[in-house]
Amino acid sequence: MITSKQHTITAQEALPDRMEQIIPTEPHAVNGSVLRAETPVNQEQILVGMGCFWGAERLFWQLDGVTSTSVGYSGGFTINPSYSDVCTAQTGHTEVVQVVYDPAKIQLETILTTFWQSHDPTQGMRQGNDVGTQYRSAIYYYNDAQKDAALASKAAYQAALVDAGKSSEITTEVAEAGPYYFAETYHQQYLEKNPRGYCGIGGTGVCLPPWERDK
């Protein structure tokens, strides 16, 4: 059954903007990095949505070469949304992880492999029991190299799913990154602060084979 929270909205239907911006008040709970929207010199960032951001963030802060992570909202219309706003499915945003990484120490392919293999990208506006547009799968890129890698890996994973006998089409949104809004401080590195907290992460069991970026 499709619920109202699984329907996309238009900008005209979105909740009003908020004047106050959410700014994390604590450093990264695992590595002490400063949480900021700007990318440090010689580093890059990419935004990934794969369901509830609590469990997703932990996957990425564990990767060597990832220098910082945070969670927030992107892909929608309302400026400076709160968590309660996003949960109404009336802002257009999805929950995302901001992955900041040193390209000299980790390849984007490693990050994308973690993304594809750690959730089910065929479920549309949901991830498991988490239902709504805020849980949709997404990759928001910042440059052409990231775009090419995202699209090539998406095609490769679709082929891998077919080879594994799974007929569902990938519904992951791949788009240029727009505004990224931090989630409230208590959401940041949630599973480090709450080790027994909810984690809805679960993949398809299909591995992503090696692939070549589009030229």
Side-chain angles (χ1 to χ4, degrees):
M1 181 179 68
I2 302 298
T3 71
S4 61
K5 287 191 174 183
Q6 291 174 278
H7 290 288
T8 57
I9 63 168
T10 65
Q12 291 71 33
E13 297 170 318
L15 293 179
D17 299 336
R18 289 184 178 269
M19 296 298 294
E20 186 174 353
Q21 181 182 12
I22 296 172
I23 300 176
T25 57
E26 302 170 359
H28 198 285
V30 178
N31 61 30
S33 61
V34 176
L35 304 186
R36 54 187 175 183
E38 302 79 15
T39 308
V41 176
N42 298 325
Q43 297 183 27
E44 296 185 11
Q45 68 169 305
I46 193 167
L47 304 177
V48 293
M50 45 200 298
C52 176
F53 49 25
W54 290 347
E57 185 186 13
R58 180 169 61 182
L59 295 172
F60 295 100
W61 81 53
Q62 294 175 338
L63 297 179
D64 291 337
V66 170
T67 58
S68 188
T69 58
S70 69
V71 296
Y73 318 113
S74 195
F77 306 109
T78 302
I79 296 173
N80 297 325
S82 68
Y83 181 65
S84 59
D85 289 337
V86 173
C87 285
T88 68
Q90 294 300 306
T91 71
H93 296 92
T94 189
E95 296 186 15
V96 296
V97 180
Q98 177 203 41
V99 182
V100 182
Y101 61 99
D102 183 345
K105 296 181 179 179
I106 185 172
Q107 293 184 327
L108 179 59
E109 284 80 357
T110 300
I111 294 170
L112 291 174
T113 296
T114 299
F115 169 80
W116 291 115
Q117 294 182 174
S118 301
H119 76 302
D120 185 345
T122 70
Q123 295 190 66
M125 301 300 176
R126 68 181 300 157
Q127 196 63 209
N129 292 326
D130 295 323
V131 178
T133 55
Q134 79 193 77
Y135 301 114
R136 68 186 184 270
S137 177
I139 300 173
Y140 299 128
Y141 57 82
Y142 285 88
N143 55 52
D144 287 342
Q146 290 181 347
K147 175 184 178 181
D148 291 345
L151 292 174
S153 63
K154 179 181 178 180
Y157 199 59
Q158 183 68 75
L161 290 174
V162 172
D163 289 345
K166 300 180 183 294
S167 59
S168 298
E169 290 289 325
I170 289 175
T171 57
T172 302
E173 176 186 6
V174 178
E176 184 175 6
Y180 169 64
Y181 302 104
F182 284 110
E184 293 79 352
T185 297
Y186 76 90
H187 288 296
Q188 307 298 336
Q189 300 84 58
Y190 184 86
L191 291 184
E192 176 67 16
K193 303 170 186 175
N194 303 274
R196 296 186 179 182
Y198 171 75
C199 177
I201 286 296
T204 64
V206 176
C207 294
L208 174 66
W211 81 92
E212 292 185 5
R213 297 191 192 189
D214 293 338
K215 302 301 183 180

